[in-house]
Amino acid sequence: MNSKNELIEERLPKHLAIIMDGNGRWAKEKGKLRVFGHEHGVKTVRLITEKCAEIGIKYLTLYAFSTENWKRPKIEVETLMRLLVSSLKRELPLLHKNDIKLNAIGNIESLPARALKELNEVIAKTAENKTMTLTLALSYGAREEIKNAVQCISAKVKNNIISLESIDETIINNHLYTRNLPDVDLLIRTSGEHRISNFLLWQIAYAELYFIDVFWPDFSEQHLLEAIKNYQHRERRFGKTSEQLN
Ligand code: FPP
């Protein structure tokens, strides 16, 4: 049994990102529709968000809807958008109680008007919260994010706002959706798939990856603590040798 007290406070991941995968297969295993899996996935979002804030994670980023997810059956896309709206409406007290600030990354303008309105309202209402930043990746694709950054930087060079020589990692970083977030320290993917699926490609350059063979609706506090404990025992060398670190 893992306990929160076993974690080493100074070695907590500052930024935890999660690819919440397996809702559909979880439902299928139970002979239910995929939508049922997403509904239970929302409960896990609530649980894990609250636990992360309690543990002391400063930034939690959840892959909720990718640019590719628009290609899913219309009924599934509509359900996910409906769940987004209802969750945003319902979870404002939870966000305030845990002092969590909501943030969103992705092409959020492409969301249905109702979802965008609700999202912007909750973002505005929680803007002063400080304990944790919860970022929802919605209509998010890392390649699109990088393409947009390249276009924007190129336009600035063309218009003599910045020089070609001045382009460095900081400038690129400042043109990503995640400009206000630190790099990802730990990336968890549920469901047993070992893929990144176009998520935060730039930001995970030095992240520790953790794959777990549990569908997202079954991902529990115990699984979260196990992942963080595992992370805390890894040596992050950032290209250096062990000797240099010690
Ligand atoms: C992956 O499972 C999950 C998603 C595409 C969406 C994640 C969404 C939620 C957890 C619910 C809505 C979120 C919020 C923030 C309200 P999958 O459908 O790809 O599962 P499968 O790989 O088994 O088919």
Side-chain angles (χ1 to χ4, degrees):
M1 190 84 168
N2 295 302
S3 146
K4 200 170 83 177
N5 304 330
E6 288 171 44
L7 298 178
I8 310 159
E9 213 182 313
E10 313 78 62
R11 288 181 67 106
L12 280 174
K14 189 170 179 193
H15 187 174
L16 167 63
I18 309 183
I19 303 177
M20 312 180 286
D21 195 15
N23 293 348
R25 278 164 287 163
W26 182 87
K28 200 174 166 194
E29 257 188 16
K30 296 181 160 41
K32 305 269 188 188
L33 297 175
R34 297 177 56 80
V35 166
F36 184 71
H38 294 314
E39 282 164 1
H40 279 263
V42 170
K43 291 186 189 169
T44 309
V45 169
R46 182 181 219 277
L47 171 85
I48 296 302
T49 299
E50 199 161 27
K51 292 300 161 196
C52 282
E54 273 173 34
I55 288 169
I57 303 288
K58 297 304 291 175
Y59 297 89
L60 172 65
T61 300
L62 302 176
Y63 204 3
F65 194 85
S66 73
T67 43
E68 290 74 28
N69 286 155
W70 290 113
K71 296 179 202 144
R72 290 196 173 192
K74 193 164 168 261
I75 177 82
E76 185 169 342
V77 172
E78 280 171 5
T79 300
L80 284 166
M81 292 303 145
R82 180 178 52 76
L83 284 174
L84 176 65
V85 172
S86 59
S87 308
L88 288 167
K89 272 188 187 303
R90 200 180 44 233
E91 304 304 351
L92 185 63
L94 172 103
L95 296 177
H96 280 317
K97 179 179 145 232
N98 293 284
D99 196 30
I100 299 169
K101 171 178 166 165
L102 186 72
N103 178 39
I105 55 171
N107 182 12
I108 60 166
E109 306 301 324
S110 66
L111 296 176
R114 198 137 170 258
L116 185 60
K117 179 176 167 278
E118 208 61 53
L119 184 67
N120 282 333
E121 272 180 29
V122 179
I123 289 176
K125 284 179 182 158
T126 60
E128 300 305 321
N129 292 350
K130 302 256 180 304
T131 299
M132 185 176 84
T133 299
L134 167 65
T135 300
L136 297 180
L138 292 162
S139 192
Y140 174 86
R143 285 186 171 183
E144 185 177 81
E145 175 181 40
I146 293 169
K147 181 208 73 179
N148 290 344
V150 170
Q151 280 181 337
C152 193
I153 295 169
S154 306
K156 287 184 184 170
V157 172
K158 191 173 158 196
N159 296 321
N160 292 319
I161 298 168
I162 58 170
S163 71
L164 190 59
E165 295 70 31
S166 70
I167 299 172
D168 58 9
E169 290 188 12
T170 306
I171 289 196
I172 296 173
N173 219 22
N174 289 342
H175 287 81
L176 300 175
Y177 295 129
T178 51
R179 60 186 71 91
N180 297 320
L181 305 177
D183 273 356
V184 175
D185 298 302
L186 172 61
L187 172 68
I188 298 176
R189 181 174 189 145
T190 60
S191 94
E193 305 289 0
H194 294 195
R195 283 192 292 276
I196 303 300
S197 300
N198 204 12
F199 189 42
L200 301 174
L201 295 181
W202 174 274
Q203 301 84 346
I204 60 165
Y206 284 100
E208 295 296 326
L209 309 182
Y210 185 88
F211 300 101
I212 176 167
D213 198 0
V214 165
F215 294 139
W216 176 249
D218 285 333
F219 189 76
S220 65
E221 179 185 8
Q222 282 301 307
H223 295 127
L224 174 71
L225 293 173
E226 185 56 40
I228 298 175
K229 262 171 72 178
N230 180 294
Y231 165 87
Q232 296 196 319
H233 290 102
R234 296 191 193 183
E235 183 181 62
R236 303 186 73 198
R237 291 195 290 277
F238 299 95
K240 294 183 181 169
T241 66
S242 286
E243 291 71 29
Q244 282 176 305
L245 292 177
N246 297 323

